[in-house]
Amino acid sequence: MRQVFNFNTKWAFTKEATEVPTTMPEKWYWVTLPHTWNAIDGQDGNNDYYRGTCYYAKQLELVDLTEGKDNTGIRYFLELRGANSSADVYVNGKKLAHHDGGYSTWRVDITDSLENTNLFVIAVDNSKNDRVYPQNADFTFYGGLYRDVNIIAVPEAHFDLEYYGAPGIKVTPIITGDDSVVDVEVFTSKAAEGATLKYVIKDAQGNVVGEQVTSDKKVTFDIKNVHLWNGRKDPYLYTAEVTLLMGDEEKDQVSTRFGCRTFEIDPEKGFFLNGKSYPLRGVSRHQDRWGIGNALLPEHHEEDIELICEMGATTIRLAHYQHDQYFYDLCDEKGLVIWAEIPYISSHMENGRENTISQMKELISQNYNHPSIVVWGLSNEITMTGDSTPDLLENHHILNDLAHEMDPTRLTTMAVVSMCSIDDPYIQIPDCISYNHYFGWYGGDTSMNGPWMDNFHKKYPNIAIGMSEYGCEALNWHNSDPKQGDYSEEYQAYYHEELIKQLYTRPYIWATHVWNMFDFGCDGRNEGGENGQNHKGLVTFDRKYKKDSFYAYKAWLSDDPFVHICGKRYVDRVEDTTKVTVYSNLPEVELFANGVSLGIQKSEEHFFYFNVPNAGETTLKAVAGDCTDESFIRKVDTFNNAYRLVEKGAVLNWFDITEVEGCFSLNDRLGDIMKNPQGMEVCMGFLKGLMDGAKGKGPVEMEMNSKMMEMMGSFTVLRLTSMMGVMGGSVDKETLLALNAKLNTIHK
């Protein structure tokens, strides 16, 4: 029978080698997998993390696999569950395999290269190229063997291990009334031709509900009165188990859990699960963590899923690549409805078509059996750098047709960049689409989101439209009068209050996914006062702090009673009367200040706003039903500068800038300045220089166009320059001061 040997411990690692060693290295570092070499430099900003080829080496005695037994007729496969981004496998100096794509499982038959003592070397490469996705994106491409590595030992007659990392078993349930027809198909090695196959279906309690013994590689079961997989309400899972026998001897076995459910995406009414309306309201998730990068352990995945469930989400967009199998398993168990996608992102590469195809084949082959997955994502913001081209359109048609051919039971989708015209032909390709909109952060204001969706729905009523990304950044900055672009926790809370009210009340929106559930690493970002991160998360990068906006969603989505006072980190306040926001999923909230009631409020929107007298020290207590929460504020005479954003490593901060009354400065929004003819001339010259300096250097190469200018217009000029690290650009202090001097002469 199959044996799986974990192969994670005692790997030698180096960045320094330039060639594959032929003997076990003596001076490399010892590491235990999962491992990434960018856990630190991929999260500290300046877009300078190491991207290149690194080497892992490990020695293995064959006796450790055979345990002294005869291994005749045994095949050995090296299984790599994540090597980012490309990798080559060498055994005893012989190159056995190359793989492009850093987020999927792949296996290598190592049998014929094994000796008594064996040297494994894996060269892993995350350097820039023009053929393997992703290359241009707003996140760190951590290099390394960052998921488990195993050796799988199987008899010559075994279930297939070599087809796109798939599990060798494929289960397709089709609901018919109260029952389900379940097709179970297996894939075997050539040596298993004519083998006997024992198929067993078990319910969630382990009871056998169907059994067949045959040589057929595809069989059908009828499950009467089937117990449906019903999302968060009842994520019921069956198990299919198939044993391969040669004569009476059991040679190999595979099993998979599966769920029986139907779903539909209606352009007018949204998402339906098992025939009933089931609004998909949730988040996107990146897999990395502070100080760990993408080298996660099971407990990290478990903590993530628990936080998402606590919030009450019904869906997750697993962006922008294939996630760990363990996390998909958790989604099945918890009943989260999943969007799974490949990293075809930001800018189309004409040399990358084959890689998009292979990554899509791996994604679908490896994840076909997960009932949580309902859509396959073709691409994300692929027109970031310009309109769709014939080659891009053809690539999308190929992927769309491939997904439908491999999996007729699910739909296709994609995430479209905000600036992309709703008339672009590539929008017509998948079964449904979603847009990434940041009105209220990168451009425009919060009120634009709902009307934009209405306009799309009116023009294209037969296309199901969703919101695949929306969000704004927040750190530990605070303000009683929050403004767009100030990175305060208060503005993020306001932003999400407004977006919830607009998006959740439009039932035709098939899914909404907050960007993002967690802050994540983006080494190209130098903004917000904490470089190297995207801070749009509802929870901090280390998962230790739930921002106030987390509770805004919990108030709308969770059935577990709670009450939360916002602004707990904003203690010192200067105003005599201060606004305090409370979130709760209960209908009434009463707020007490030093034991004195400030009244009872009711709110169908779950957001409660109190005006609180601010004198001396005040203990606040919110009461909703049996739930309570407490907070504390203190009256101060001058604003506490610890609450004010100071850019880390910035050449200038806002308070360093000379301002002339009635004139512009770097602290003004680009869009406001460019409404002035003189301001337009000055800024266009400055921006052209920035863009020219960024071309070819950073993860996103952009041309200045009307769409790009619209997005950038809501940022102050200073904030915009601090973000240029994402695009590879930079600007020095002298240049900024010279620009500010010019702006100081232009009247508003």
Side-chain angles (χ1 to χ4, degrees):
M1 290 289 282
R2 173 179 307 207
Q3 287 185 283
V4 179
F5 302 89
N6 184 265
F7 210 43
N8 283 351
T9 59
K10 203 175 181 181
W11 285 85
F13 168 79
T14 186
K15 293 181 183 178
E16 308 302 325
T18 57
E19 59 184 25
V20 178
T22 56
T23 59
M24 186 64 187
E26 295 181 356
K27 295 184 179 181
W28 293 9
Y29 297 99
W30 293 112
V31 299
T32 295
L33 309 183
H35 174 263
T36 175
W37 61 76
N38 297 126
I40 296 175
D41 67 354
Q43 303 177 347
D44 61 358
N46 297 317
N47 202 32
D48 57 357
Y49 68 103
Y50 181 76
R51 294 185 66 179
T53 300
C54 296
Y55 292 85
Y56 295 84
K58 180 177 173 67
Q59 193 164 288
L60 174 73
E61 299 296 325
L62 184 59
V63 69
D64 293 335
L65 295 179
T66 64
E67 299 175 343
K69 300 174 184 176
D70 180 18
N71 68 330
T72 303
I74 301 297
R75 306 299 298 181
Y76 296 96
F77 291 84
L78 183 70
E79 179 182 67
L80 301 98
R81 295 196 169 185
N84 202 32
S85 296
S86 299
D88 295 295
V89 171
Y90 300 82
V91 178
N92 297 323
K94 181 181 178 181
K95 181 177 176 178
L96 299 186
H98 174 84
H99 183 264
D100 289 328
Y103 302 97
S104 53
T105 294
W106 50 291
R107 304 185 186 103
V108 183
D109 188 340
I110 59 175
T111 311
D112 297 336
S113 297
L114 291 178
E115 301 172 0
N116 288 331
T117 300
N118 301 279
L119 177 65
F120 288 78
V121 177
I122 304 175
V124 186
D125 180 12
N126 70 337
S127 60
K128 298 177 183 179
N129 61 71
D130 65 352
R131 58 186 178 78
V132 181
Y133 288 98
Q135 290 298 323
N136 300 328
D138 187 21
F139 60 94
T140 297
F141 309 144
Y142 300 94
L145 293 175
Y146 70 97
R147 292 184 187 149
D148 286 348
V149 173
N150 299 310
I151 291 180
I152 304 174
V154 290
E156 292 280 359
H158 59 267
F159 292 105
D160 184 39
L161 288 163
E162 297 182 88
Y163 182 78
Y164 289 104
I169 180 172
K170 181 179 177 182
V171 180
T172 308
I174 303 297
I175 307 301
T176 55
D178 294 332
D179 309 325
S180 180
V181 174
V182 180
D183 291 334
V184 182
E185 185 175 6
V186 294
F187 308 89
T188 62
S189 65
K190 290 182 180 180
E193 291 300 322
T196 299
L197 298 167
K198 181 181 178 181
Y199 295 83
V200 177
I201 300 291
K202 298 178 181 179
D203 64 17
Q205 289 72 43
N207 302 310
V208 175
V209 296
E211 183 174 339
Q212 296 185 45
V213 179
T214 178
S215 60
D216 294 338
K217 294 180 183 178
K218 185 176 182 179
V219 300
T220 298
F221 289 91
D222 293 314
I223 301 179
K224 301 297 183 183
N225 297 313
V226 66
H227 194 144
L228 297 176
W229 186 90
N230 201 27
R232 293 290 307 274
K233 300 172 185 176
D234 186 10
Y236 192 88
L237 295 170
Y238 289 89
T239 298
E241 181 180 281
V242 188
T243 305
L244 188 155
L245 300 96
M246 300 296 286
D248 294 330
E249 185 180 358
E250 295 183 351
K251 291 290 188 178
D252 197 13
Q253 187 179 82
V254 289
S255 67
T256 185
R257 295 184 301 181
F258 67 94
C260 300
R261 84 291 186 263
T262 65
F263 72 90
E264 177 188 2
I265 298 177
D266 186 291
E268 189 63 40
K269 300 177 182 179
F271 187 82
F272 284 72
L273 181 64
N274 299 323
K276 297 181 180 179
S277 176
Y278 190 78
L280 296 185
R281 304 292 177 246
V283 296
S284 295
R285 182 224 188 201
H286 261 302
Q287 66 182 356
D288 61 331
R289 286 196 171 219
W290 173 249
I292 297 172
N294 56 359
L296 302 184
L297 299 174
E299 54 262 36
H300 299 134
H301 296 294
E302 292 160 7
E303 183 178 26
D304 280 7
I305 202 82
E306 290 300 331
L307 286 165
I308 292 169
C309 288
E310 179 190 342
M311 195 188 85
T314 56
T315 180
I316 311 174
R317 178 183 172 212
L318 291 177
H320 288 298
Y321 38 75
Q322 186 174 166
H323 286 231
D324 193 297
Q325 279 298 313
Y326 185 54
F327 198 79
Y328 292 108
D329 289 340
L330 291 173
C331 293
D332 293 341
E333 293 173 10
K334 298 293 187 180
L336 277 303
V337 174
I338 300 304
W339 165 333
E341 65 188 39
I342 60 172
Y344 183 23
I345 179 171
S346 296
S347 61
H348 171 73
M349 299 186 296
E350 292 195 358
N351 292 335
R353 178 180 295 184
E354 288 307 312
N355 188 245
T356 66
I357 293 170
S358 65
Q359 292 208 50
M360 183 63 78
K361 286 181 177 178
E362 289 175 330
L363 178 72
I364 296 175
S365 299
Q366 294 172 29
N367 294 285
Y368 183 91
N369 297 326
H370 291 291
S372 55
I373 297 174
V374 298
V375 290
W376 303 117
L378 305 182
S379 66
N380 175 78
E381 295 190 343
I382 201 64
T383 61
M384 172 72 80
T385 57
D387 294 334
S388 60
T389 63
D391 194 69
L392 180 150
L393 290 170
E394 185 176 2
N395 204 152
H396 278 76
H397 278 295
I398 290 171
L399 292 176
N400 194 59
D401 292 345
L402 174 64
H404 287 139
E405 179 185 348
M406 293 183 68
D407 183 5
T409 71
R410 292 183 175 91
L411 302 179
T412 56
T413 190
M414 62 189 183
V416 183
V417 69
S418 186
M419 299 89 73
C420 181
S421 168
I422 64 175
D423 302 316
D424 193 299
Y426 106 107
I427 288 177
Q428 308 289 330
I429 295 173
D431 299 312
C432 58
I433 67 165
S434 283
Y435 259 80
N436 297 349
H437 282 315
Y438 292 92
F439 303 131
W441 184 246
Y442 288 135
D445 59 69
T446 56
S447 65
M448 296 169 62
N449 289 279
W452 189 98
M453 302 297 279
D454 292 340
N455 177 65
F456 184 100
H457 184 56
K458 181 179 180 181
K459 188 168 185 179
Y460 293 107
N462 295 321
I463 298 179
I465 179 71
M467 190 85 102
S468 40
E469 291 183 23
Y470 65 98
C472 73
E473 303 214 14
L475 295 91
N476 193 10
W477 311 120
H478 303 283
N479 192 345
S480 293
D481 186 22
K483 302 293 185 184
Q484 181 175 334
D486 68 5
Y487 295 87
S488 70
E489 190 173 1
E490 286 70 36
Y491 182 78
Q492 189 193 48
Y494 161 78
Y495 170 95
H496 282 292
E497 290 172 19
E498 294 301 306
L499 269 291
I500 287 171
K501 289 185 285 188
Q502 292 178 58
L503 300 180
Y504 285 20
T505 54
R506 287 171 162 83
Y508 67 82
I509 298 177
W510 76 269
T512 60
H513 296 96
V514 176
W515 192 260
N516 196 281
M517 180 64 187
F518 307 106
D519 293 345
F520 60 91
C522 177
D523 198 53
R525 282 182 175 258
N526 293 321
E527 58 173 318
E530 190 174 19
N531 295 346
Q533 294 183 39
N534 185 313
H535 296 95
K536 294 186 183 70
L538 305 179
V539 179
T540 53
F541 202 5
D542 59 8
R543 278 56 168 179
K544 294 186 183 301
Y545 181 76
K546 303 166 191 171
K547 303 175 191 179
D548 287 334
S549 51
F550 171 93
Y551 295 96
Y553 285 94
K554 185 174 180 178
W556 274 73
L557 299 175
S558 175
D559 294 328
D560 295 332
F562 84 100
V563 64
H564 171 77
I565 301 175
C566 296
K568 289 187 175 68
R569 299 193 292 185
Y570 183 26
V571 175
D572 296 336
R573 308 193 185 197
V574 296
E575 58 270 17
D576 294 331
T577 301
T578 190
K579 175 185 171 182
V580 173
T581 299
V582 180
Y583 298 144
S584 179
N585 52 7
L586 296 167
E588 294 183 352
V589 170
E590 185 171 12
L591 187 66
F592 295 85
N594 290 334
V596 178
S597 175
L598 300 180
I600 298 174
Q601 289 193 18
K602 299 181 180 181
S603 174
E604 294 182 359
E605 296 173 342
H606 309 289
F607 309 143
F608 306 83
Y609 308 108
F610 293 87
N611 291 317
V612 177
N614 183 24
E617 296 184 345
T618 305
T619 298
L620 300 173
K621 182 177 181 179
V623 179
D626 295 330
C627 303
T628 63
D629 192 29
E630 291 193 2
S631 185
F632 176 79
I633 59 174
R634 177 171 50 228
K635 180 70 166 67
V636 294
D637 295 329
T638 57
F639 187 83
N640 186 342
N641 279 322
Y643 298 150
R644 184 169 283 148
L645 168 62
V646 178
E647 293 284 9
K648 181 180 180 181
V651 294
L652 284 177
N653 283 291
W654 68 270
F655 45 79
D656 297 318
I657 296 167
T658 301
E659 297 191 0
V660 176
E661 186 174 354
C663 295
F664 291 113
S665 75
L666 297 177
N667 288 329
D668 284 293
R669 292 187 185 184
L670 177 67
D672 294 336
I673 298 173
M674 294 188 68
K675 292 175 183 177
N676 180 295
Q678 283 181 275
M680 167 77 80
E681 182 179 355
V682 169
C683 287
M684 287 301 289
F686 173 72
L687 289 173
K688 186 177 186 303
L690 274 183
M691 291 295 183
D692 288 344
K695 286 178 184 176
K697 294 181 180 179
V700 182
E701 296 181 30
M702 297 181 180
E703 296 292 339
M704 279 198 300
N705 53 48
S706 59
K707 297 174 183 176
M708 187 57 58
M709 295 305 301
E710 180 183 349
M711 183 186 80
M712 297 190 301
S714 68
F715 282 86
T716 68
V717 180
L718 181 65
R719 189 71 65 245
L720 189 61
T721 59
S722 73
M723 294 172 59
M724 286 305 296
V726 177
M727 295 178 279
S730 62
V731 59
D732 57 35
K733 180 177 182 179
E734 289 70 26
T735 301
L736 284 174
L737 289 175
L739 175 62
N740 189 67
K742 290 180 182 178
L743 294 174
N744 283 169
T745 67
I746 303 173
H747 290 277
K748 296 183 178 180

